[in-house]
Amino acid sequence: MSDPTGASRIPELSTIEIRSTSALRKYVDETRRLARDFARELEFGAEEIQAVLVATGKGNPWLVGLDVKIRAKRIAKRAARAADLQRGTAAEMTRLWTDFMVQFAPALGNSPEKAKKQFKFDE
């Protein structure tokens, strides 16, 4: 499938055709995995960005590198926020699955309803 806007799609997700409950589950799981992996990568990138910027040491000599550390931390914080957003993506996909199981699975007959214990007066 090609996107009319010209944007490329993620192959791991674009190959999943959501036509069944199991396909939706696979899509949710794969999206969560990708979001968590991307979050970890952004965290590593934030640490690396900060370390590289501090190592440059291009700051005011009177401040003994303190200004460089503060500015580097401010820049790296952007990547750390992006990592937080990706973890939020993974959490939202979990909520998607939970809401699907509550809203649609009973109507489809796919809900894992547990047999409720009946209260018995005789025993």
Side-chain angles (χ1 to χ4, degrees):
M1 280 196 280
S2 64
D3 188 352
T5 62
S8 62
R9 295 185 63 193
I10 300 170
E12 293 90 345
L13 299 176
S14 65
T15 58
I16 301 171
E17 291 188 28
I18 305 172
R19 300 185 185 268
S20 65
T21 303
S22 61
L24 178 62
R25 179 63 186 202
K26 183 178 178 183
Y27 186 82
V28 167
D29 289 344
E30 189 64 20
T31 303
R32 288 179 61 229
R33 184 190 67 77
L34 288 170
R36 288 190 309 254
D37 289 350
F38 194 36
R40 277 192 297 272
E41 185 61 37
L42 289 169
E43 285 175 346
F44 292 138
E47 292 172 7
E48 188 172 347
I49 288 167
Q50 187 171 353
V52 167
L53 291 175
V54 168
T56 62
K58 303 282 187 196
N60 188 336
W62 291 88
L63 296 175
V64 194
L66 185 61
D67 62 331
V68 174
K69 290 178 184 176
I70 292 170
R71 288 186 294 147
K73 187 174 183 177
R74 184 180 302 152
I75 298 297
K77 189 184 278 188
R78 298 288 180 187
R81 285 182 189 153
D84 286 340
L85 291 171
Q86 287 304 307
R87 281 191 292 278
T89 299
E92 283 301 317
M93 292 309 288
T94 301
R95 290 183 190 118
L96 180 149
W97 179 253
T98 302
D99 284 347
F100 170 76
M101 293 305 290
V102 169
Q103 302 294 329
F104 286 95
L108 298 173
N110 294 336
S111 72
E113 293 180 11
K114 296 178 182 175
K116 294 182 180 179
K117 292 184 178 181
Q118 298 284 332
F119 184 79
K120 296 182 182 180
F121 289 99
D122 298 339
E123 296 175 7

